[in-house]
Amino acid sequence: MNTLFGDDVLHRPTPQLPDGAHYVPHWLTLEQQRWLVARFHEFPDWMVRLGRSALVAATGDPSAGDDYTPDAALVNYYDDAARMGMHQDKDEHSTAPVISLSIGDTCLFRFGNTQTRNKPYQDIALASGDLFVFGGPSRMAYHGIPKIYPGTAPQGCGLEAGRINITMRVTGLNG
Ligand SMILES: O=C(O)CCC(=O)C(=O)O
Ligand SMILES: [Fe+2]
């Protein structure tokens, strides 16, 4: 085994598991692991194009998307009771804008300041189809979702209930 702490060093006793639980050590070969990891780098071109056109629409600057190449997207599903606490999007090592698209139920989006998770903040109702961009001096603004408004998804948006939010990001990571 080609690892620093193989099974000979890091002893991994075979656990006794209850019915229905199955543990298969080393099921994936290294080649299969490499293949799977490589799949994570296949960010779809259509989403890069979507991100670029969103930036152009948001800023009104026809060249705003030229240097923008998102390499990650987070998709969150919110049911009636879901919330997201105030936070900064700071896992990325790039200062490029975050682009947020909303589909389904309207939510209350709390968009705050870059210093604290508390006031001053603004509450904005993000509805299905809305685009929100936070870049430049707002890139590190605290934000969160205190509330979903159930039953507000428009007919034809593809979602019967709940809300989907897609955020595109430039991670600035090579990994
Ligand atoms: O759902 C939203 O509009 C915000 C999502 C968000 O802040 C995040 O995914 O980091
Ligand atoms: Fe966020």
Side-chain angles (χ1 to χ4, degrees), residues 8-73:
D8 46 338
V9 178
L10 183 66
H11 181 57
R12 302 197 298 166
T14 306
Q16 291 296 311
L17 295 171
D19 283 354
H22 307 274
Y23 172 47
V24 188
H26 306 303
W27 185 65
L28 293 169
T29 64
L30 279 178
E31 188 188 0
Q32 289 171 323
Q33 294 167 50
R34 269 199 311 279
W35 184 88
L36 278 170
V37 170
R39 301 288 75 72
F40 305 149
H41 296 268
E42 293 174 349
F43 195 77
D45 283 345
W46 63 263
M47 200 172 264
V48 175
R49 291 196 297 274
L50 183 63
R52 288 179 180 165
S53 67
L55 262 190
V56 171
T59 61
D61 171 0
S63 61
D66 293 358
D67 298 327
Y68 189 71
T69 307
D71 61 349

Side-chain angles (χ1 to χ4, degrees), residues 67-91:
D67 298 327
Y68 189 71
T69 307
D71 61 349
L74 244 172
V75 181
N76 288 308
Y77 176 77
Y78 298 77
D79 66 13
D80 291 3
R83 313 260 178 278
M84 184 179 279
M86 293 293 275
H87 66 278
Q88 291 171 302
D89 290 354
K90 58 180 182 189
D91 289 335

